[in-house]
Amino acid sequence: MKTLLLLAALCCASPSPDFTRSVLALSGAYSIEELSESELERFESLRRRPLPLNVLSAAALVRSGLLNAYQAASICDYRSRSGDILSLAEFALIDGIGAELADALAPFIDFRPSGDVARRPRIDGSARVGVGWKPSPSYEASLKAGLTLRRLEFFGSYRHRSLKNGFTFGAGYEGPRFSLCLGDYRLRLGQGLVAWSGFSMAGVSGPSSLNRNPAGLTLAHSYTSYLRGAAASYNFGRTEIGASWTIPAVARDPGSGVLYVSRLSERGQWAAKAYLDRLGVVAGLDGKRQFGECCLFGEAAYSCRGGKHAPALVGGVDWAPAYRKRFALALRYYGPGYDAPLSGALRSSTKTADELGASCSLTVSDLGVSADLSKALSASKSVGKLAASYNPVFSLPFGLELNPSLKASLSYRPYNTYKARADLRAELGLKRGPLQAH
């Protein structure tokens, strides 16, 4: 009977979603940048070390935060009756799971047989420490250092495959003219076509997600740092130049460098940058120009890597006529062969390539509305999404603040079996001083 059920499920099983889509499905958020860093770290940790479903107890499954008590009990009961769970299709058949949840959990679980996992005592944890020093409060320069251990394991085997996965660290100097980073750092330039390290937007959550404000080179010692090596920048007047290099075989990419120069004027900012590695180069230009209440922004890039050549363009307008009133519109074109390993520009899919799209977002006081429409250039696949949110704050007696939150979205994918999907999410928050309840 079990074999027949497996065959039936495999015939109709759909492919598992990618990491980003799984995180959004499980968290209920509209975009990755909507989540806090601690939430992102938790999902990234689970992705690096998936849950062994055939080993963990019901209590351990609940502690993971991915399953409730009923689902965990159903899994344990199924294992006791039918043995190890062998596939995602079989997992979807368990009472309380279903195909949709199974697909969302796919990046965070594995089906290793129970005998393959050592049952030695193990204590897991994480730690983070950071220090900074300035000779005096008025002194403009400072020294910083930090260390983050992703997981400490005692009495167990250390399963990380690379130094990068084990911990992040960074030390640097930040002065009025010169900055130096050694270890882990972030590099966010322009609108993200050439270099935007760490988590980046996949979708539209507000006007700020369309008109990016790049932070440039910054020291990072957190779980979401993706570059490791050395980087430095120097500014003279309104011009800044910078360079970085990642360590081969340790960082995310096999050794790469980024060079950039930026110029700040009274009404705008301009920059040129280039990414280089053994496969080729990606070069780009970006700029912003202020005209009263309107800001024009854009970036153009061209990639020549691995024998492929392709352009990429993104640009738009950002209008803020009054306080808490803002409208932004952006258009984008990413060629089918565009290949930039550090790219993190605005997009509707997981890669900044093979896409033509338009996005807009409007905020008026506590109300926000956004829309995104995109089409794959190499296939007849279009995606449309409309989202709205309302987040007012009400003052109550005794210093209390009431914060109801309502979010709704409608997505349309004509190539899917279920073409339209609607989501509604409501939350209620209560705050008094440092105390919060949700």
Side-chain angles (χ1 to χ4, degrees), residues 140 173-179 233-237 239-241:
E140 296 184 9
Y173 168 82
E174 293 183 357
R177 288 187 175 273
F178 177 72
S179 295
S233 65
Y234 182 81
N235 68 78
F236 42 94
T239 303
E240 178 179 307
I241 58 174

Side-chain angles (χ1 to χ4, degrees), residues 274-354:
Y275 167 92
L276 308 96
D277 64 10
R278 59 184 178 82
L279 295 179
V281 61
V282 183
L285 297 170
D286 73 85
K288 289 188 178 185
R289 180 69 175 178
Q290 194 75 32
F291 296 94
E293 299 167 346
C294 289
C295 175
L296 298 181
F297 61 91
E299 183 174 3
Y302 196 85
S303 69
C304 303
R305 299 184 72 249
K308 295 182 179 180
H309 305 259
L313 302 168
V314 61
V317 59
D318 189 353
W319 180 49
Y323 175 66
R324 300 188 71 187
K325 293 182 180 180
R326 187 177 175 187
F327 173 79
L329 170 69
L331 305 176
R332 61 187 183 273
Y333 168 83
Y334 308 141
Y338 185 72
D339 183 14
L342 296 185
S343 178
L346 173 69
R347 63 198 186 278
S348 62
S349 61
T350 57
K351 294 183 179 180
T352 311
D354 189 30

Side-chain angles (χ1 to χ4, degrees), residues 48-65:
R48 291 194 310 270
R49 189 186 180 192
L51 299 176
L53 288 181
N54 293 317
V55 174
L56 296 181
S57 64
L61 291 172
V62 172
R63 284 197 302 269
S64 70

